[in-house]
Amino acid sequence: QLQFVESGGGSVQPGGSLRLSCVANGFLDDNSVGWFQQPPGKEREGVSCIRGSNDDTEYADSVKGRFTISRDNAQKTVFLQLNNVRAEDAGDYYCQIVSCSRLFEPGAGRFGDWGPGTQVTISS
């Protein structure tokens, strides 16, 4: 089972940008990887996914047009570019093996242990 370490979070003003990284401890191969957001005091939910088979991407409606997911298999890394952030984007971000077709369903990220996450804070 792949394990992941997330990084790149920080404090950003509304409208600002951040680039999150998710580094795996092995090659991604054909695995699809999703990014999840856990707002303070709320449950973790899927926000984006990239398929291992063809690099097709999926986005939650709330982030569509603002976030971009990508991968670099040689670096064993999946990225999430956050642009034009809003207050609702705050929280801890995690990545995990997923089935992209089930990204927005409960338990979508239950393919392994969660990494430490990286925190995004929106500050005006």
Side-chain angles (χ1 to χ4, degrees):
Q1 295 290 329
L2 290 176
Q3 300 178 60
F4 300 90
V5 176
E6 302 90 348
S7 63
S11 180
V12 60
Q13 297 180 4
S17 299
L18 282 174
R19 190 191 194 202
L20 309 182
S21 297
C22 165
V23 180
N25 67 346
F27 288 108
L28 296 171
D29 297 323
D30 292 333
N31 287 302
S32 300
V33 179
W35 276 98
F36 296 78
Q37 177 199 8
Q38 185 168 21
K42 299 182 179 180
E43 296 182 357
R44 185 183 289 113
E45 60 186 18
V47 298
S48 187
C49 190
I50 184 165
R51 299 183 186 274
S53 58
N54 57 11
D55 280 351
D56 283 352
T57 57
E58 304 286 344
Y59 298 95
D61 288 341
S62 60
V63 307
K64 193 173 300 182
R66 301 187 298 116
F67 291 7
T68 303
I69 190 171
S70 61
R71 70 161 76 211
D72 186 327
N73 289 335
Q75 296 184 30
K76 309 173 186 177
T77 303
V78 178
F79 304 96
L80 186 68
Q81 178 71 39
L82 286 63
N83 293 328
N84 192 25
V85 301
R86 307 168 179 170
E88 66 191 48
D89 298 325
D92 294 328
Y93 283 75
Y94 304 84
C95 57
Q96 185 55 270
I97 300 295
V98 298
S99 176
C100 287
S101 63
R102 296 184 170 89
L103 180 68
F104 309 115
E105 299 176 2
R110 295 292 191 89
F111 281 81
D113 295 334
W114 296 102
T118 187
Q119 185 176 57
V120 173
T121 301
I122 311 300
S123 177
S124 62

